[in-house]
């Protein structure tokens, strides 16, 4: 059977860093509150005029270089974002054009913080069925543009950034020993639409709007949904938590990550954590974390990695990958 094998990963973070202390100068918050409640110390913020597609392009070039491929080898681009350059066309097509690719297909996926697991699963299905050969899967966000910088309950949590992976369809033996995406489980429940949303949009208000979140409610559902979707991945594949080399979760809250790891008996040294430095970068958080763990030598070929995410909608999902 065909497997979607990761050939390379890359990332890009905007130069500007905003610390908790910086934010405490314009909203009523403290570094200690933000660290204690979320685990976040700082986040990167895109420069004026720096677009989601710019971040995505830089991450993509990095991933292509690591994969040892030319942009022309790519025939599918799936970009996860909730902060596109424009309402349309898809930001993926801007990246495609800037990479000089004039063939294949490029489109965006909108599943907010679950965007990367949705995009990875989508690309995996396109590759597994033989419709495309090599995919660039990107998570890229400029959440700083949709934050209400006067709302201390949300503006301290998010940051900007992008990460990307290059996938190639390769023949596998159909076992868990194969490299590549081994399972993907996606879920959503639109009854929770208004617990984490943006209060604008082309159809509703003709304005972009700002992010609104019932933090405590989201937290409660995140703990339950993440555990459920991880259990689903383990049950479907027969993998035991002990078999997992690296747990790479969406980075929303350190307390959620610690609680989830504890519940599955995973020690802290197996969890890739970046939210102290990146904040919550929505769809970009998982590929950014993959890049950090690959760059510092933790992620090695054949390692078994469990990804999970939960976000607005609600949407949530898990993907098991052998690197
Ligand atoms: O990525 C998508 C998924 N997103 C998530 O998973 C996020 C889930 N939610 C969370 O991570 C947490 O709920 C937060 C970090 C957003 C908030 O932590 P919390 O422990 O749930 O705090 P809270 O909302 O219950 O607020 C506690 C108190 C409140 O004051 P009172 O009502 O107890 O007097 C808030 O007004 O903290 C206050 N507060 C703040 N104080 C200082 C809220 N934001 C701040 C702030 N600085 N920035």
């Amino acid at each position: 059977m065909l497997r979607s094998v990761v050939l390379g990963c890359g990332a890009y973070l905007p130069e500007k860093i905003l610390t908790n202390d910086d934010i405490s100068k314009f909203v009523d918050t403290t570094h200690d509150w933000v660290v204690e409640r979320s685990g976040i110390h700082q986040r990167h913020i895109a420069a004026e005029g720096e677009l989601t597609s710019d971040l995505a392009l830089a991450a993509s070039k990095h991933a292509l270089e690591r994969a040892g491929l030319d942009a022309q080898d790519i025939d599918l681009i799936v970009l996860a974002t909730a902060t596109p350059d424009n309402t349309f066309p898809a930001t993926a097509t801007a990246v495609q054009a800037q990479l000089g690719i004039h063939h294949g297909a490029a489109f965006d996926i909108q599943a907010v913080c679950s965007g990367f697991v949705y995009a990875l699963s989508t690309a995996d299905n396109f590759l597994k069925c033989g419709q495309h050969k090599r995919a660039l899967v990107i998570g890229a966000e400029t959440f700083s543009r949709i934050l209400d910088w006067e709302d201390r309950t949300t503006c301290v949590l998010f940051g900007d950034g992008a990460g990307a992976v290059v996938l190639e369809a390769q023949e596998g033996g159909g076992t868990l020993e194969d490299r590549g995406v081994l399972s993907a489980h996606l879920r959503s429940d639109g009854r929770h639409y208004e617990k984490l949303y943006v209060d604008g949009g082309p159809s509703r208000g003709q304005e972009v709007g700002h992010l609104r979140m019932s933090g405590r409610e989201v937290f409660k559902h995140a703990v339950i949904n993440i555990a459920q979707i991880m259990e689903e991945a383990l049950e479907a594949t027969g993998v035991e938590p002990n078999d997992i080399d690296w747990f790479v979760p969406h980075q929303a809250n350190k307390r959620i990550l610690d609680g989830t790891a504890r519940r599955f008996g995973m020690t802290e040294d197996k969890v890739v954590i970046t939210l102290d430095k990146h904040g919550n970068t929505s769809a970009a958080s998982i590929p950014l974390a993959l890049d950090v763990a690959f760059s510092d030598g933790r992620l090695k070929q054949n390692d078994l990695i469990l990804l999970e995410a939960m976000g607005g909608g609600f949407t949530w999902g898990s993907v098991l990958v052998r690197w």
Side-chain angles (χ1 to χ4, degrees), residues 14-20 22 41-45 277:
E15 208 176 301
K16 183 180 170 186
I17 290 174
L18 193 68
T19 65
N20 295 340
D22 293 334
H41 290 236
Q42 61 170 54
R43 70 287 293 143
H44 289 251
I45 302 290
K277 295 200 174 68

Side-chain angles (χ1 to χ4, degrees), residues 3 13 21 30 34 55 57-58 72 89 101 127 141 174 210 213 227-228 232 271-272 289 294 309 311:
R3 293 285 198 193
L13 287 160
D21 283 335
T30 62
V34 182
L55 276 51
L57 179 68
Q72 298 311 321
I101 304 173
L127 296 190
E141 303 278 17
H210 292 111
M213 175 165 75
Q228 173 259 317
E232 222 168 295
V271 187
V272 179
F294 178 76

Side-chain angles (χ1 to χ4, degrees), residues 2 7 33 70 77 90 94 101 122 137 145 158 162 176 207 211 214 239-241 243 249 251-252 256 276 298:
L2 284 173
L7 297 184
W33 189 94
D70 187 84
I77 300 176
I101 304 173
T122 303
V137 183
R145 306 267 158 73
F158 297 89
L176 287 176
E207 283 178 353
L211 181 148
S214 311
V239 165
E240 299 285 337
D243 303 329
Q251 312 278 319
I256 299 177
D276 53 335
R298 274 180 286 176

Side-chain angles (χ1 to χ4, degrees), residues 29 33 37 113 152 215-216 218 250 253 255-256 280 310:
T29 192
W33 189 94
R37 298 298 172 122
C113 296
R152 69 173 184 172
R216 224 175 293 183
V218 177
H250 165 55
N253 189 306
R255 289 182 288 146
I256 299 177
N280 179 348
M310 142 95 188

